[in-house]
Amino acid sequence: MSARLIDGKALAAQVRAGLAQRVAALAARGVRPGLAVLLVGDDPASAVYVRNKIKACEETGIRSFFAHLPASTTQAELLARVRALNDDAAVHGILVQLPLPAHLDAQQVVDAIAFEKDVDGLHPTNAGLTLAGRPHFRSCTPYGVMTMLDSIGCALAGKHAVVIGRSNMVGKPMAMLLLAADATVTICHSRTRDLAAITRQADVLIAAAGKRNLVTADMVKPGAVVIDVGTNRTPDGRLTGDVDFAAVREVAGAISPVPGGVGPMTIAMLLANTVEAAERSAGLAPMPGASQPRA
Ligand code: GUN
């Protein structure tokens, strides 16, 4: 039987409609959420991602501040840009599109973003708060995946969630959010032995390795929920995920496609974090590090 399809595009539209209402409520108080996006160099894929993010801002009533800097930009110039945005009260969120050209130190740049404006959730303070189970900004892709799981009523407590991939942007924060939801979490990566033996135990399988067709039908437990975070290109240029979608959908209980799955949700959650940052600045949402009672 074919799996239930988790339609990220439709869910993202719902999330964005809810955000538009919050943006209107902020407008009534004279606040317009602002997202600054810095793109350095000429990576074509990054240019497309950034264009989509800016378009989504405009459609949601968020003001965007876009700077496209030349590939020759120095570390000092980029850091100065980030610091100026930190000091700009009209900017509630800052995103530096990654990867940066090889001569730039991305970690130092991310560290320079005020963590209260780090809507990507990549700053060490935000990573640490996520680790501590009291996230301030959730990293956008894992936040999107959690919203997708929630949308299908996937109760995570006690479930075995397997994450393939250990990046700072997706794999690690993904595992922390699943853990905070009381799942039993296994993180797999390129050095994991017998990946299939582990993925076959997964009630929830998150593929975020960046490897086309990594997850095949024999690696999936019947009825499992499979979320495909991969964004790879086929030899003929089509966008595809990490999961062999056609075969796995015959085994899984629910599955997200690529495209139209996690991608639109990542953008929606970036907007959500930006609106939340603006609400905090207006005193409408809890401030950083506020502890959340936990049973
Ligand atoms: N490059 C690819 N995805 C992302 C993202 O979510 N944030 C940033 N800053 N760069 C990216």
Side-chain angles (χ1 to χ4, degrees):
M1 204 184 70
S2 209
R4 171 178 180 179
L5 198 70
I6 308 174
D7 184 344
K9 201 170 162 196
L11 183 59
Q14 272 180 39
V15 170
R16 284 164 60 166
L19 292 174
Q21 289 182 4
R22 286 162 63 187
V23 170
L26 281 165
R29 294 175 167 247
V31 178
R32 179 152 183 223
L35 174 67
V37 179
L38 295 179
L39 173 65
V40 187
D42 303 306
D43 178 51
S46 291
V48 172
Y49 289 137
V50 162
R51 208 178 311 132
N52 289 340
K53 288 170 186 177
I54 290 169
K55 183 165 167 272
C57 280
E58 282 158 12
E59 288 167 0
T60 317
I62 295 171
R63 191 171 167 197
S64 61
F65 303 83
F66 173 51
H68 187 179
L69 308 176
S72 58
T73 301
T74 65
Q75 185 77 7
E77 285 166 344
L78 185 54
L79 289 173
R81 283 278 189 159
V82 168
R83 290 184 185 123
L85 294 169
N86 285 344
D87 293 338
D88 186 340
V91 172
H92 302 96
I94 301 170
L95 181 147
V96 178
Q97 185 67 22
L98 302 175
L100 290 172
H103 68 282
L104 295 171
D105 178 346
Q107 192 58 62
Q108 193 186 38
V109 173
V110 169
D111 290 0
I113 298 172
F115 85 93
E116 299 92 338
K117 296 191 178 189
D118 166 43
V119 286
D120 250 339
L122 298 178
H123 188 281
T125 298
N126 284 319
L129 285 168
T130 297
L131 181 73
R134 48 191 188 103
H136 180 57
F137 287 121
R138 293 161 182 83
S139 191
C140 300
T141 297
Y143 190 9
V145 171
M146 294 303 283
T147 306
M148 292 166 90
L149 293 174
D150 190 50
S151 78
I152 59 162
C154 180
L156 287 162
K159 295 261 173 70
H160 189 182
V162 173
V163 180
I164 312 176
R166 55 174 158 177
S167 68
N168 288 336
M169 199 180 291
V170 181
K172 287 183 205 166
M174 185 76 254
M176 290 306 116
L177 294 183
L178 291 162
L179 186 63
D182 296 323
T184 300
V185 182
T186 302
I187 305 175
C188 300
H189 49 79
S190 54
R191 306 293 292 271
T192 295
R193 291 191 192 144
D194 201 352
L195 178 65
I198 300 170
T199 60
R200 272 196 289 268
Q201 297 171 28
D203 302 304
V204 177
L205 180 60
I206 315 287
K211 205 166 165 201
R212 187 160 66 96
N213 284 340
L214 175 69
V215 176
T216 48
D218 58 304
M219 295 169 69
V220 175
K221 177 159 119 176
V225 176
V226 179
I227 306 281
D228 192 350
V229 181
T231 49
N232 313 297
R233 292 277 165 192
T234 60
D236 59 359
R238 279 181 303 112
L239 186 64
T240 186
D242 289 354
V243 176
D244 177 358
F245 181 82
V248 171
R249 76 178 304 181
E250 300 304 324
V251 180
I255 187 168
S256 71
V258 177
V262 172
M265 289 302 293
T266 296
I267 294 183
M269 302 339 276
L270 172 69
L271 304 179
N273 280 344
T274 304
V275 171
E276 192 161 346
E279 288 171 344
R280 286 180 184 138
S281 80
L284 296 174
M287 282 309 284
S291 63
Q292 296 166 357
R294 186 99 170 74

